[in-house]
């Protein structure tokens, strides 16, 4: 009689009933009884990750300040409960459980949450699945309070739900569940990598395996993210790049093949993906030879532009080129454009990656659809390339696939085998043709086509800049002169487009301000930066930047009314971001190209729906979030070291009353001192500074140890 009552329950799918206590219930509903055939089947692939994460974030943002503490509970129980020691113990247990849920149960959610699915049953299943697979929520059962009566028993309960856990506990739980799934045999129904947290841990392991550390050798295991430390610790492996490599190979996510590199490390792709990549590379090589025939363009219903020259402009060590520029006279196109407005058609070529992202419609019959789908999944999982890792880059796709998808340049053509040199191997492109009004930079006409182009001439940014500068001194008729003329025409037209865009678009103006500020800061800190790491904006850089900006702007306009996969934040249209300009580096750009081909060229299947684009954007954002392993802290430490070095030079060489030229960075009252590369804040300045504005300042306080520099306005003084 002193024991709490228990309930007899019928579980869906079981014939016999069970006797359970009320603590095993999560939430008791007042809804009608649900029949077994109404229970939906929910798989991890249908798990609404964005909704669950938003729910967790919303709960985590709630105030956690309790009105009652654990120390106060015993005194409170003795004060209000006088039915004996057993009742006091029961009240103590209830209060301690309720305290975990927070004031007004603010740490708790249940299946009635508006952020989840429309039906309560589906919401309950989603939360139950999250508790089982993930680490953001844990079960919080109903709390038995009391009961009364003998025949008609009245039971008082406090309803339960799912409680959001702290971020530290969450990371440990996710790591433990990740390791537990590694020990279980993987099947198509229960794959090893089942949650977003699994993908994040996997990507962070890859970054660590590629030697991701701070800018110096001071990294310690405790500075790594909790989920990585706990994963390696649970697998009894060293918390180091070597330990991460070992685990990735044991998982089958990396291969033991080392023939493609000389470092002796494992290859960052599974054997299945490497096999699919090898098949694709061989198939693409055969197809290029077939396309080199006179009927090549007709074979794939492409526009043949192989008679026109084109130019690639990239860094000197670029391995895979995915964009090129061309130009041709309006009179040779047959398009109806006023000759007074424009004499030239600008061509912006982006490499065609539809084989990977439109595998069902792929025209490459030399490789199976299954291999292409495997490569698409690999790109989706990795999300984007990383080039800042000590042991080499982590590419979006295996290098042999990127090489096949990328442009074959004239220089590479000369280095090919004698058999390949017989053919002018074409490149498959998605080409945007644009007419700009040469009087004001306004877009007159544009369109998108699937094309073939001949191998472009590969130039570095410096080579392109030199050709633009020396155009008048080059001998007419030479290849250098022809390239310089092309570059000049492209620079003039695209430059006018950029000027007009900055005049009419707030996002473009702000982007220009950010780039100008970055250039200014790097220039002022040039002595602290290596030549390769400093940010440059030569004429070659500006030309490429203008062309890709034009491509993204015009493509967005052509797709107006259709949803477009695009990244939020820095890649969004509201901040002047780009669409479909880097398909060899970003998964979302490959999907954006797929949408452009479907809507504008009728190729690749049905256009993506708005919901499909939302899901793609969500996956892309998750891929960006996976980069948070050491990068933010690494960059912050590097910036602090540069600041301290600049302050040391300033302290040792400048007099106390000296007046310096400060240049605004555009961030509140922050300015840089170009002569020293130091950053400081002007104290008491009421006027808002524009980016790049020069102001005279004096030192008010300089603290090298803290890396802080406080300045005061010295407008009435002269240096």
């Amino acid at each position: 009689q002193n024991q709490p009552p228990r309930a007899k329950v019928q579980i869906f799918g079981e014939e016999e009933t069970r006797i359970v206590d009320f603590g095993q219930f999560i939430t008791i509903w007042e809804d009608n009884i649900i029949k077994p055939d109404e229970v939906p089947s929910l798989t991890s692939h249908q798990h609404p990750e964005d909704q669950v994460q938003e729910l967790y974030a919303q709960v985590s943002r709630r105030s956690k300040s309790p009105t009652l503490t654990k120390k106060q509970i015993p005194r409170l129980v003795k004060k209000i409960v006088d039915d004996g020691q057993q009742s006091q113990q029961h009240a103590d247990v209830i209060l301690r459980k309720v305290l975990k849920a927070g004031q007004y149960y603010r740490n708790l959610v249940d299946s009635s949450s508006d952020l989840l699915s429309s039906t309560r049953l589906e919401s309950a299943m989603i939360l139950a699945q999250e508790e089982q697979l993930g680490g953001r929520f844990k079960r919080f059962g109903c709390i038995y309070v009391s009961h009364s009566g003998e025949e008609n028993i009245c039971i008082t309960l406090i309803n339960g739900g799912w409680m959001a856990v702290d971020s530290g506990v969450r990371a440990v739980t996710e790591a433990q569940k990740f390791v537990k799934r590694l020990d279980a045999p993987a099947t198509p129904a229960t794959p090893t990598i089942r949650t977003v947290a699994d993908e994040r841990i996997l990507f962070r392991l890859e970054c660590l395996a590629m030697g991701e550390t701070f800018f110096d050798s001071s990294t310690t295991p405790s500075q790594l993210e909790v989920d990585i430390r706990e994963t390696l610790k649970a697998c009894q492996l060293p918390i180091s790049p070597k330990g991460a490599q070992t685990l990735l190979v044991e998982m089958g996510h990396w291969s033991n093949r080392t023939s493609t590199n000389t470092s002796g490390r494992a290859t960052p792709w599974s054997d299945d993906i490497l096999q699919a990549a090898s098949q694709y590379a061989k198939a693409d090589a055969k197809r290029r030879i077939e396309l080199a025939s006179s009927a090549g363009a007709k074979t794939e219903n492409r526009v043949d532009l192989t008679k026109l020259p084109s130019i690639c402009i990239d860094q000197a060590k670029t391995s895979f080129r995915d964009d090129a520029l061309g130009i041709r006279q309006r009179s040779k196109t047959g398009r109806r454009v006023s000759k007074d407005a424009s004499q030239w058609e600008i061509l912006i070529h982006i490499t065609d990656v539809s084989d990977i992202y439109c595998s069902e419609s792929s025209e490459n019959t030399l490789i199976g659809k299954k291999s292409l789908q495997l490569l698409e999944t690999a790109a989706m999982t990795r999300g984007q390339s990383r080039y800042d890792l000590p042991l080499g880059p982590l590419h979006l796709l295996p290098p042999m696939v990127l090489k096949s998808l990328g442009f074959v340049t004239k220089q590479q053509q000369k280095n090919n085998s004698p058999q390949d040199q017989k053919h002018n191997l074409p490149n498959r492109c998605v080409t945007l043709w644009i007419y700009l009004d040469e009087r004001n930079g306004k877009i007159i006409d544009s369109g998108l086509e699937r094309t073939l182009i001949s191998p472009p001439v590969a130039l570095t940014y410096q080579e392109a800049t030199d050709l633009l500068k020396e155009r008048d001194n080059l001998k007419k008729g030479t290849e250098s002169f022809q390239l310089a003329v092309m570059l000049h025409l492209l620079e003039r037209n695209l430059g006018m487009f950029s000027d007009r865009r900055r005049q009419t678009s707030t996002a473009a103006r702000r982007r220009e301000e950010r780039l100008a500020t970055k250039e200014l800061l790097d220039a002022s800190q040039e002595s602290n930066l290596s030549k390769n790491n400093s940010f440059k904006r030569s004429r070659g850089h500006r030309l490429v930047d203008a062309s890709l900006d034009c491509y993204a702007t015009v493509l967005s306009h052509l797709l107006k009314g259709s949803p477009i996969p695009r990244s939020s934040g820095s890649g969004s249209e509201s901040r002047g971001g780009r669409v479909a300009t880097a398909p060899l580096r970003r998964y979302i750009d490959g999907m954006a190209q797929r949408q452009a081909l479907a809507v504008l060229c009728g190729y690749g299947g049905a256009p993506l729906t708005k919901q499909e684009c939302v899901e793609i954007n969500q996956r892309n954002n998750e891929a960006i979030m996976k980069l948070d392993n050491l990068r933010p802290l690494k960059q912050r430490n590097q910036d602090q070291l540069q600041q301290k070095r600049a302050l040391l030079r300033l302290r040792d060489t400048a007099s106390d009353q000296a007046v310096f030229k400060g240049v605004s960075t555009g961030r509140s009252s922050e300015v840089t001192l170009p002569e020293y590369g130091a950053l400081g804040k002007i104290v008491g300045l009421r006027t808002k500074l524009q980016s790049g504005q020069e102001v005279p300042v004096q030192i008010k306080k300089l603290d090298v140890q803290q890396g802080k520099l406080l300045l005061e306005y010295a407008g009435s003084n002269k240096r």
Side-chain angles (χ1 to χ4, degrees), residues 308-313 324-328 344-347 349 456-457 459 467-468 471 479-494 543:
L308 299 175
S310 56
I311 301 173
C312 281
I313 306 174
L325 296 172
I327 197 167
R328 63 176 168 177
W344 300 97
E345 180 183 78
I346 295 173
L347 301 170
H349 311 290
V457 176
L459 299 176
L467 284 171
L468 286 167
R471 177 175 63 94
E479 183 184 33
S480 296
F481 178 78
Q482 293 172 351
L483 291 174
V485 170
M486 276 185 65
L487 291 170
H488 168 71
L489 292 170
L490 288 164
E491 182 185 47
R492 186 185 69 187
N493 283 272
L494 290 169
L543 174 57

Side-chain angles (χ1 to χ4, degrees), residues 643-644 647 650 679-681 699 701-711:
Q643 172 75 347
K644 289 179 180 180
L647 293 182
L650 180 61
L679 286 172
K681 289 188 176 181
I699 297 174
K701 183 179 179 181
L702 190 155
D703 188 332
V704 175
Q705 189 65 29
Q706 296 294 324
K708 292 182 178 180
L709 174 62
L710 297 181
L711 305 164

Side-chain angles (χ1 to χ4, degrees), residues 358-407:
C358 308
S359 56
E360 291 298 326
S361 304
S362 174
E363 292 154 332
N364 193 339
T365 58
L366 302 173
I367 182 172
K369 298 287 189 285
K370 186 176 179 180
S371 295
L372 293 175
Q373 290 167 354
L374 188 62
L375 293 174
E376 180 184 358
T377 302
M380 179 177 65
T381 301
R382 188 152 288 178
Q384 61 185 43
S385 299
R386 280 198 67 176
Y387 299 98
D388 58 344
L389 300 170
L391 299 182
L394 270 178
H395 291 296
L396 178 70
L397 286 163
M400 65 182 80
V401 175
L402 296 178
K403 183 179 179 181
S404 298
L405 291 171
F407 291 141

Side-chain angles (χ1 to χ4, degrees), residues 11 50 72 170 200 231 288 316 324 346 369 374 377 387 410 432 445 611 641 713:
I11 307 295
D50 54 339
Q72 294 172 328
R170 169 190 172 182
R200 184 188 69 244
T231 297
R288 282 185 188 264
I346 295 173
K369 298 287 189 285
L374 188 62
T377 302
Y387 299 98
K410 271 194 173 183
L432 191 70
D445 196 8
Q611 182 57 37
L641 180 63
Y713 182 65

Side-chain angles (χ1 to χ4, degrees), residues 160-323:
W162 285 266
M163 188 164 63
V165 302
D166 293 335
S167 58
V169 176
R170 169 190 172 182
V172 173
T173 304
E174 288 172 340
Q176 291 172 345
K177 293 188 175 183
F178 175 80
V179 173
K180 186 177 180 180
R181 282 191 282 274
L182 293 183
D183 295 335
T187 66
T190 58
T192 300
I193 307 302
R194 299 186 66 183
T195 68
V196 172
D198 291 346
E199 293 177 358
R200 184 188 69 244
I201 293 171
L202 182 64
F203 191 81
R204 287 179 173 176
L205 282 170
E206 288 187 319
C207 292
L208 179 59
M210 296 302 286
E212 183 179 45
T213 58
F214 295 118
F215 64 96
D216 55 23
S217 57
S218 63
T219 307
T220 62
S222 63
Q223 291 169 315
L224 284 166
E225 291 289 346
V226 176
D227 50 8
I228 297 301
R229 298 202 311 263
E230 291 298 322
T231 297
L232 292 172
K233 191 174 166 186
C235 294
Q236 299 181 340
L237 291 169
I239 304 175
S240 65
K242 186 64 177 176
Q245 286 184 28
T246 301
L247 179 56
L248 288 165
V249 171
E250 289 177 356
M251 290 172 58
H253 193 72
W254 279 24
S255 170
N256 258 327
R257 302 184 192 183
T258 57
S259 58
T260 56
N261 60 67
T262 57
S263 63
R265 67 175 184 274
T267 303
W269 300 99
S270 69
D271 287 330
D272 289 344
I273 292 174
L274 288 176
Q275 184 178 359
S278 177
Q279 291 174 359
Y280 182 80
K282 292 176 181 177
D284 182 73
K286 293 179 180 178
R287 180 175 57 186
R288 282 185 188 264
I289 295 175
E290 292 176 1
L291 291 175
S293 65
S294 58
K298 294 180 180 179
T299 302
E300 293 194 353
N301 296 318
R302 292 178 179 272
V303 177
D304 189 349
L305 301 179
T306 54
K307 302 298 182 183
L308 299 175
S310 56
I311 301 173
C312 281
I313 306 174
D314 291 286
Q315 298 283 2
K317 295 183 179 180
T318 298
S319 302
F320 315 111
R321 303 175 189 271
D322 57 5
D323 59 87

Side-chain angles (χ1 to χ4, degrees), residues 651-670:
R651 185 190 66 182
D652 295 341
T653 59
S655 62
D656 294 338
Q657 301 301 318
V659 178
F660 304 92
K661 180 182 73 174
V663 181
S664 171
T665 64
R667 296 192 290 261
S668 187
S669 61
E670 185 182 66

Side-chain angles (χ1 to χ4, degrees), residues 21 139 163 385 420 439 578:
D21 63 59
R139 294 164 59 93
M163 188 164 63
S385 299
D420 288 343
R439 298 165 296 190
R578 292 176 179 159

